[in-house]
Amino acid sequence: MSANAREDILAAAKLVAQAHGYAGLNFRDLAEQVGIKAASIYYHFPSKAELATAVAKRYWEDAAAYLESLLQNSPKPLDALRRYPETFRWALENDNRICLCSFMSAQFDDLPDVVKTEVQAFTDVNVAWLRKTLVAAKVASPKEAEKRARAIYSGIVGAQLMARSRADISLYDSLIDGYRAAGLLPA
Amino acid sequence: MSANAREDILAAAKLVAQAHGYAGLNFRDLAEQVGIKAASIYYHFPSKAELATAVAKRYWEDAAAYLESLLQNSPKPLDALRRYPETFRWALENDNRICLCSFMSAQFDDLPDVVKTEVQAFTDVNVAWLRKTLVAAKVASPKEAEKRARAIYSGIVGAQLMARSRADISLYDSLIDGYRAAGLLPA
DNA sequence: ACCTGAACACCGTTCAAGT
DNA sequence: ACCTGAACACCGTTCAAGT
């Protein structure tokens, strides 16, 4: 445990949410990981909804920052595009977790509205980046890019979910290959 | 409530699992819907794991039967293939639910092993049908068909999940269109 | 055969109270 | 400021008892 309980809670909660979702976020286990008591979490976050909101907000902010740096540091936009599926591979590598946003999308009915907003922001960030990069890489025309970006995003989300259900990361790679072969992703 | 409590429990549990997942299946609410007490469910199913197993088994059996009838009743295999995305649209039409198998795939870590087996069987049924139908429709060669079938399945699963997160069924249709435009699904 | 009340051990959540 | 004990509501499960 570090000197900053709030940051420790956020970090631990992110991992729990990626493995067990919103319903699986439990304050007793979370507190134990951080080294405080469950009730103490409520000093830092007024409710489970607020904690989940903070986690999801941090999550899309980090994603946005990473995607920008990926684009900046790639020789060509097409290179960044080719590496996009990697970002969703990491969760699977990390103990067969999935995207926090995907898990919470499944639990949509049980999500407080404030959390829904942040979960949707993650999708928006990804789709906007894909649209921009598809156009820059001349893979799609400005007119087609939005639809193509959404199709790529949902395809990758589905691949991650399916790979999790088999606890098989090679299945993820195979599905991404399948998208390339079929023409959804650039070769 | 009908004359058959066991069937009523299965039917109610299916809907709950499609909206709230395995963790969201609780015997008290379920019993109330069926018109009996929570303890009575244990007369029909020895445990929550066994109930979920029965629900998931019934789910893939029904899917298998429907897909066979779809193929039999279609003029050409390609027609059946074109109608495949409809089967995942129905859950969204039904109060923004999703595939039971997708929800439980997200909750993989929290699933008893017996349930996992039945959840995976649903995927197997769908992928096997797609493979067979892709070959029959000459959309994919026997060699490519397995990979293509899995890519289509995961793509549709992702589209359904993304549409749920916006409670927007037109988004599902748009994503399926995007798959057709990109070449993942036959036009 | 089918169902129930009551109880058990447990868990997430809350808040008044501690330091 | 930061944390906690203790209570509360709830859940899966059991079982003796009811019809």
Side-chain angles (χ1 to χ4, degrees):
Chain A
M1 87 179 123
S2 80
N4 192 333
R6 191 176 193 279
E7 285 300 316
D8 290 351
I9 294 165
L10 279 175
K14 184 182 93 165
L15 292 175
V16 173
Q18 286 185 271
H20 306 285
Y22 182 77
L25 254 184
N26 85 78
F27 280 35
R28 272 194 179 105
D29 290 351
L30 208 53
E32 196 175 7
Q33 284 182 55
V34 176
I36 55 177
K37 296 294 169 185
S40 307
I41 296 177
Y42 286 85
Y43 175 74
H44 301 283
F45 301 95
S47 68
K48 180 173 173 173
E50 290 302 316
L51 169 60
T53 301
V55 170
K57 187 176 194 304
R58 174 74 59 91
Y59 194 73
W60 71 253
E61 286 171 348
D62 288 351
Y66 176 79
L67 288 175
E68 275 322 297
S69 78
L70 175 62
L71 189 54
Q72 300 299 325
N73 297 327
S74 294
K76 292 185 297 182
L78 185 59
D79 297 312
L81 209 53
R82 285 202 182 103
R83 292 186 57 188
Y84 179 74
E86 285 176 20
T87 62
F88 281 75
R89 195 181 195 276
W90 296 330
L92 293 168
E93 287 171 19
N94 192 8
D95 291 325
N96 198 33
R97 286 180 167 81
I98 57 169
C99 174
L100 178 150
C101 169
S102 296
F103 211 136
M104 291 193 175
S105 292
Q107 296 176 316
F108 184 81
D109 273 8
D110 302 314
L111 244 41
D113 284 345
V114 279
V115 181
K116 281 180 188 168
T117 303
E118 302 301 333
V119 165
Q120 291 171 345
F122 179 84
T123 301
D124 291 339
V125 159
N126 277 266
V127 171
W129 184 90
L130 281 167
R131 178 172 35 70
K132 177 174 68 175
T133 310
L134 283 165
V135 172
K138 296 194 186 348
V139 170
S141 71
K143 199 181 165 186
E144 305 161 331
E146 173 74 17
K147 186 173 252 187
R148 180 70 172 276
R150 290 194 297 214
I152 289 174
Y153 178 80
S154 68
I156 286 178
V157 159
Q160 194 189 43
L161 188 62
M162 190 173 166
R164 172 164 163 90
S165 77
R166 303 282 167 158
D168 180 4
I169 198 163
S170 76
L171 176 55
Y172 178 76
D173 296 333
S174 170
L175 290 166
I176 298 300
D177 267 359
Y179 289 152
R180 291 200 179 101
L184 180 63
L185 288 170
Chain B
M1 91 179 117
S2 80
N4 192 332
R6 189 175 195 278
E7 285 300 315
D8 290 351
I9 294 165
L10 279 175
K14 184 181 92 166
L15 292 174
V16 172
Q18 284 186 272
H20 307 283
Y22 183 77
L25 256 184
N26 86 76
F27 279 35
R28 282 188 172 88
D29 289 352
L30 206 55
E32 194 175 8
Q33 283 182 56
V34 176
I36 56 178
K37 297 294 168 185
S40 307
I41 295 177
Y42 285 86
Y43 174 75
H44 301 282
F45 302 97
S47 68
K48 179 173 172 172
E50 290 302 317
L51 168 59
T53 301
V55 169
K57 187 175 195 303
R58 174 73 60 90
Y59 195 74
W60 71 253
E61 285 172 349
D62 288 351
Y66 176 78
L67 288 175
E68 275 323 297
S69 78
L70 175 61
L71 189 54
Q72 299 301 324
N73 297 327
S74 295
K76 292 184 297 182
L78 184 59
D79 298 311
L81 209 52
R82 286 204 181 103
R83 292 188 57 187
Y84 180 73
E86 284 176 19
T87 62
F88 281 75
R89 195 181 194 277
W90 297 330
L92 293 168
E93 287 170 18
N94 192 8
D95 290 325
N96 199 33
R97 286 180 166 82
I98 56 171
C99 174
L100 179 151
C101 170
S102 297
F103 211 136
M104 292 194 175
S105 293
Q107 297 176 314
F108 184 81
D109 274 8
D110 303 315
L111 244 40
D113 284 345
V114 278
V115 181
K116 281 180 188 167
T117 302
E118 302 302 333
V119 165
Q120 291 172 344
F122 178 83
T123 300
D124 291 339
V125 160
N126 278 265
V127 171
W129 184 89
L130 281 166
R131 177 173 36 70
K132 176 175 71 176
T133 310
L134 283 164
V135 172
K138 297 191 186 349
V139 170
S141 70
K143 200 182 167 189
E144 305 161 332
E146 173 74 17
K147 185 174 253 188
R148 180 70 172 275
R150 290 195 298 214
I152 289 174
Y153 179 79
S154 67
I156 286 178
V157 158
Q160 194 189 45
L161 188 61
M162 189 174 168
R164 172 163 162 92
S165 77
R166 303 281 165 157
D168 180 4
I169 198 164
S170 76
L171 176 55
Y172 179 75
D173 297 333
S174 170
L175 290 165
I176 298 301
D177 267 359
Y179 289 153
R180 291 201 178 102
L184 179 62
L185 287 171

